[in-house]
Amino acid sequence: MQKNSGQIYFETFPGNGKIRVGHWRPETPANGTVVLLHGRTEFIEKYTETIIELIQRRYEVWSMDWRGQGLSQKTFTKPRKGHIDKFETYLLDLEFFLNRVIKPQGIPPLLLAHSMGGHIAARALLEGHTKFRGLIITSPMFDLPFNCAKKSCVKLAVRLGNMVGMGEKFVTGTGEYNSKRIHFDGNALTGDRARFDAVHQTISKQPNLALGGPTFGWLDAAFRSIKLLKSIPPPPTYPCPVLVCTATRDTVVSVGMQAELCAKHKWQQVHFPNARHELLQETDPIRNHFWKTFDQFTACI
């Protein structure tokens, strides 16, 4: 990103959390404000290209590293564990970020949220935590991609692990971030090698950005929040329009649950053929499709 185009700094959130915040302004008067919310493991630098594209559309852009991710405050001596006590902690951080840090004036912000960030944003919208101008979600984590039988077994194992004191341990089969185990071929995130490699090159220059697998506590919290999200009834009126962008080759989150919640809440859904989980890190044709969809959606709100 060009010099002086923005700033990245730390804010003290409730609970004395040091949260890393980014803020960028266009050179000309802004059309509005976009708040960019990341998925699990992600960090501000991963979205440099997206931030530039939003600025080119004359949006003021805000983002943050979620608590426990990027360079925001970690809670472990081994800071690469993906852990949270409950998803309500993320919701409180989002509410504080929107209402106390950004302090939008006039038109409420547009939220652009990915995966776990999309889950948190959807809960914030349905539970009335704050007001948005609109919500665009890419590959939302409305559920995890397990069949019913496997999900029941995993949920039981995770709950028992949490109960016997394993909440802060890595989920079985996961562990620390290890660049030697990172391979483009067969990855579930993107079909674009250059963007895939750029993320890990950034981590190699700033190793503290890396995050490993989730803990038993994080996964248990995720299952509880997913259950709650799916149980929320449609409100009498929606405070803003919602667009869900579904990657048809996604194996990281449930594609089927995206369709179910869009039907339940009458949210607009657009499918992206051949796209893997990370739409904004995908190949140019897929990203071009996304930006065309983004422009059409925002033109009507």
Side-chain angles (χ1 to χ4, degrees), residues 94 98 108-111 121-122 124-125 129-135 239-241:
L94 176 59
L98 293 173
L110 170 71
L111 265 61
L125 174 71
H129 287 272
T130 189
K131 293 182 179 179
F132 313 150
R133 175 185 171 191
L135 173 59
C240 75

Side-chain angles (χ1 to χ4, degrees), residues 121-160:
R123 274 195 60 185
L125 174 71
L126 293 172
E127 294 174 18
H129 287 272
T130 189
K131 293 182 179 179
F132 313 150
R133 175 185 171 191
L135 173 59
I136 301 173
I137 313 176
T138 61
S139 307
M141 192 191 79
F142 291 161
D143 204 348
L144 298 176
F146 300 124
N147 60 40
C148 291
K150 185 174 182 180
K151 183 188 296 184
S152 298
C153 293
V154 172
K155 287 174 71 174
L156 178 60
V158 167
R159 179 58 56 86
L160 290 174

Side-chain angles (χ1 to χ4, degrees), residues 19-295:
I19 303 298
R20 186 172 178 244
V21 169
H23 180 210
W24 301 264
R25 295 178 185 270
E27 294 182 358
T28 56
N31 287 328
T33 300
V34 171
V35 178
L36 183 59
L37 302 177
H38 314 153
R40 199 192 80 81
T41 79
E42 297 186 321
F43 46 86
I44 288 170
E45 288 82 353
K46 184 171 180 176
Y47 286 89
T48 297
E49 184 178 17
T50 299
I51 292 166
I52 291 172
E53 289 161 319
L54 289 167
I55 293 171
Q56 289 171 345
R57 287 167 169 77
R58 292 177 48 207
Y59 284 107
E60 182 177 351
V61 183
W62 289 83
S63 191
M64 67 172 173
D65 290 345
W66 289 112
R67 188 181 294 258
Q69 296 188 186
L71 298 183
S72 287
Q73 183 170 315
K74 308 292 200 308
T75 57
F76 294 112
T77 53
K78 289 186 176 181
R80 293 185 180 180
K81 288 184 177 181
H83 182 74
I84 197 69
D85 53 348
K86 55 186 180 293
F87 271 45
E88 285 72 19
T89 300
Y90 291 136
L91 282 161
L92 289 173
D93 282 349
L94 176 59
E95 185 174 2
F96 184 84
F97 184 47
L98 293 173
N99 297 334
R100 299 290 297 277
V101 177
I102 299 175
K103 300 176 184 176
Q105 297 180 1
I107 300 174
L110 170 71
L111 265 61
L112 173 56
H114 174 66
S115 194
M116 183 189 82
H119 173 105
I120 298 163
R123 274 195 60 185
L125 174 71
L126 293 172
E127 294 174 18
H129 287 272
T130 189
K131 293 182 179 179
F132 313 150
R133 175 185 171 191
L135 173 59
I136 301 173
I137 313 176
T138 61
S139 307
M141 192 191 79
F142 291 161
D143 204 348
L144 298 176
F146 300 124
N147 60 40
C148 291
K150 185 174 182 180
K151 183 188 296 184
S152 298
C153 293
V154 172
K155 287 174 71 174
L156 178 60
V158 167
R159 179 58 56 86
L160 290 174
N162 222 18
M163 290 173 61
V164 299
M166 296 175 63
E168 297 183 2
K169 295 185 180 297
F170 283 117
V171 170
T172 306
T174 71
E176 292 273 1
Y177 173 90
N178 185 341
S179 60
K180 294 180 180 179
R181 295 202 296 264
I182 303 296
H183 304 288
F184 174 76
D185 292 338
N187 86 88
L189 303 179
T190 175
D192 190 288
R193 182 182 290 272
R195 292 185 174 100
F196 178 90
D197 289 342
V199 172
H200 300 288
Q201 288 166 4
T202 300
I203 292 173
S204 71
K205 295 174 184 176
Q206 177 51 276
N208 287 335
L209 291 171
L211 194 70
T215 62
F216 278 88
W218 184 94
L219 191 53
D220 185 44
F223 279 129
R224 285 185 276 117
S225 189
I226 286 167
K227 181 179 179 181
L228 192 156
L229 173 64
K230 291 192 289 187
S231 71
I232 300 174
T237 59
Y238 279 96
C240 75
V242 177
L243 169 66
V244 173
C245 300
T246 298
T248 60
R249 291 183 59 192
D250 200 338
T251 59
V252 176
V253 297
S254 169
V255 172
M257 186 51 62
Q258 292 172 42
E260 286 189 36
L261 287 192
C262 285
K264 175 180 178 179
H265 295 288
K266 295 181 172 58
W267 292 339
Q268 181 182 349
Q269 183 180 26
V270 175
H271 293 85
F272 290 78
N274 300 316
R276 302 181 209 183
H277 182 62
E278 295 183 351
L279 278 173
L280 291 169
Q281 309 296 326
E282 261 290 5
T283 59
D284 286 344
I286 292 171
R287 295 184 84 257
N288 291 341
H289 182 192
F290 168 80
W291 285 117
K292 182 178 179 180
T293 304
F294 177 97
D295 292 338

